Amino acid sequence: MRSGRLSAVVVGVLLTGGCAHATGVAGVSMKAPAEAVALTPAPSGTPSTDEQSSVQRPAAADPVKVPPPQVSKYTYAFPVKGCKATYQRKLLILPKTVIWAAKGCTFVAPVDGVVDEVNLANRWSPSSDRGPDREGRFVSIIGEDGVRYLGGHLDSVVADLKPGSKVKAGQKLGQIGNSGNARDTAPNLYFAISWKTGPAYWWVRRGMVEPWDYLDAWLKGNRTLSPKEETVKLRAKVGETPACTTLCSGRSAPQQEEKEEEPKKPRKKKPATPTPTPSPSLNDTSTL
């Protein structure tokens, strides 16, 4: 009898538990198992200020320096070395530039090449202003790129430098001054780019290609930007020996004073011929 009651109690407990869990459809519970609830992380709140300040960012690495692209096989040097220099970046009269630097600063070869011209004499005179003499003391070289580079207004030229001497980019050629028609200005370097011609074509030597884009590149570290292509194109367009069109002659000799004309002698007036008084007519009886 007692065992029967115990069986009934157990059955009742089992039925009650089954009913308590069978709240879903077809007896499936709507509650997640205890194990799943335990594995779901609780949402975290906004981190406190102390927690944020305790987080340290890793130190940034140094910026990677990317060298400028190599755009030619030639290597160039800015033509003024060891001194602060400024220069004009626009066309004034001639396609050249003036690089302002202190007297005695070094003028160097802008590229490997061979010396073409050396002028040690400062022959310029304001009374004549001859074109071949305007640059004063100067050196020009023919680079291995086939381009001619001129540095003028020099105070001095390196000893033993002569046409045919081989030079390297950055090699000293002279010292900056104000020879030539720069004698009344601050020291500077007359810098020009052209191509090789005979000495009679001094207007080619003094500059044909605008140089400041190349000077900008060489000064800022892009040492392979070459004026060769532009020079070759311009030479093909105008010819190797184009005619001079700007500042082509010096000052002409002063004209001789004109001789004063002799004062013209006044023309003598002829004496007036007196008008004869008519004699009375014989037939006129009014005067009789």
Side-chain angles (χ1 to χ4, degrees), residues 14-25:
L14 292 175
L15 291 175
T16 304
C19 293
H21 289 285
T23 57
V25 178

Side-chain angles (χ1 to χ4, degrees), residues 193 209-219 222 225-227 230:
I193 298 176
V209 175
E210 297 175 357
W212 39 84
D213 287 345
Y214 304 103
L215 292 174
D216 287 346
W218 304 340
L219 185 61
N222 187 353
L225 184 64
S226 176
E230 183 179 0

Side-chain angles (χ1 to χ4, degrees), residues 27 32 57 77 109 129 135 157 165 170 180 182 185 188 201 241 256 259 282:
R57 295 181 180 178
D129 192 29
E135 288 81 40
V157 176
S165 300
T185 69
N188 63 81
Y201 299 95
T241 55
Q256 295 182 352
K259 293 182 179 180
L282 295 175

